Amino acid sequence: MCGRFTITHPNEALAALFDAVPGNDLPAGPNFNVCPTNPVVVVTSEGGVRRLRAMRWGFIPSWYKAPNDGPLIINARSDTVATKPAFKAAVRERRCIVPASGFYEWSEGEKGARLPWYFTRADGLPMALAGVWQRWGDMDTVAIVSTEAGPGMAEIHHREPVVLERAAWPLWLGEAGHGAAVLMRASEAGVLTTPYRVGVAVNSNRASGPALIEPVAA
């Protein structure tokens, strides 16, 4: 799954990378501890135009009467996203990309301790995480698609976010026809850096600052 990530690349750089028109309400960065319910930057394609938009991280199904009317949904599983009532319309009609500079995952240490690890792209570019979105009231909300862990992740956690390569962006965004289901797979070996341990300060959703991604002894 993906429960925390970072976005340290400026919005202007993201707009250029994704060839997207930026909105005027984008969350300011950098953010070294993006948490569920935070506003995040999302890439959509609407009417042939890519847009950089702000959304709430935490997908709210259409039948919720309030944002907290059910579980907080931050991830959508690749194996059930097309069949679960919450997501099946969104994965057909409202796919998007969630840019991230890196993400955290946790392994279990002694006595159940949560040990955080940090992942980035090996080429230093922002990650393009596959997402699905839903409008609820006057708010747009998003979930990140996760899949079975691949090389480099499986030893830390059994799931990982779907990281889309540049060539896959048009298909995922609905610009290149049908068949996006084939993209919901783990990253190939070498795409992500070898993860490194970071300090447990990031275990708190109140923690912030660049020190969160500094390596510590494993």
Side-chain angles (χ1 to χ4, degrees):
M1 63 176 293
C2 182
R4 301 278 186 85
F5 64 92
T6 66
I7 184 65
T8 60
H9 292 80
N11 290 330
E12 294 82 2
L14 297 177
L17 176 65
F18 291 100
D19 192 23
V21 179
N24 57 14
D25 61 345
L26 300 177
N31 189 341
F32 293 88
N33 191 12
V34 181
C35 301
T37 75
N38 285 174
V40 296
V41 175
V42 171
V43 182
T44 62
S45 183
E46 303 163 58
V49 177
R50 289 186 186 175
R51 300 190 182 278
L52 214 59
R53 303 176 50 191
M55 295 191 186
R56 172 195 189 262
W57 185 20
F59 188 100
I60 304 178
S62 59
W63 60 83
Y64 276 28
K65 296 179 180 178
N68 59 354
D69 199 31
L72 178 61
I73 304 173
I74 61 172
N75 293 140
R77 291 176 61 100
S78 60
D79 51 328
T80 58
V81 68
T83 56
K84 278 201 168 185
F87 303 124
K88 63 182 183 180
V91 77
R92 290 196 309 269
E93 304 163 9
R94 294 183 300 278
R95 296 189 300 273
C96 61
I97 291 172
V98 181
S101 302
F103 65 87
Y104 301 99
E105 195 50 83
W106 282 261
S107 62
E108 186 172 330
E110 295 181 3
K111 299 181 180 178
R114 297 181 72 232
L115 306 177
W117 300 77
Y118 188 56
F119 294 79
T120 62
R121 283 191 62 99
D123 57 15
L125 292 173
M127 296 177 176
L129 307 183
V132 292
W133 67 278
Q134 169 76 44
R135 171 153 289 188
W136 187 88
D138 60 356
M139 176 170 51
D140 291 330
T141 69
V142 64
I144 294 170
V145 179
S146 71
T147 190
E148 290 292 326
M153 171 61 79
E155 294 182 3
I156 307 297
H157 196 271
H158 65 284
R159 297 194 70 79
E160 67 175 87
V162 172
V163 180
L164 301 168
E165 296 303 302
R166 183 189 289 266
W169 297 351
L171 183 56
W172 184 256
L173 291 173
E175 301 166 342
H178 303 287
V182 300
L183 304 175
M184 292 188 286
R185 58 180 184 267
S187 298
E188 296 181 1
V191 171
L192 303 181
T193 56
T194 300
Y196 61 85
R197 272 284 314 282
V198 295
V200 295
V202 76
N203 291 2
S204 169
N205 59 13
R206 297 182 179 181
S208 63
L212 295 179
I213 62 172
E214 291 296 321
V216 301

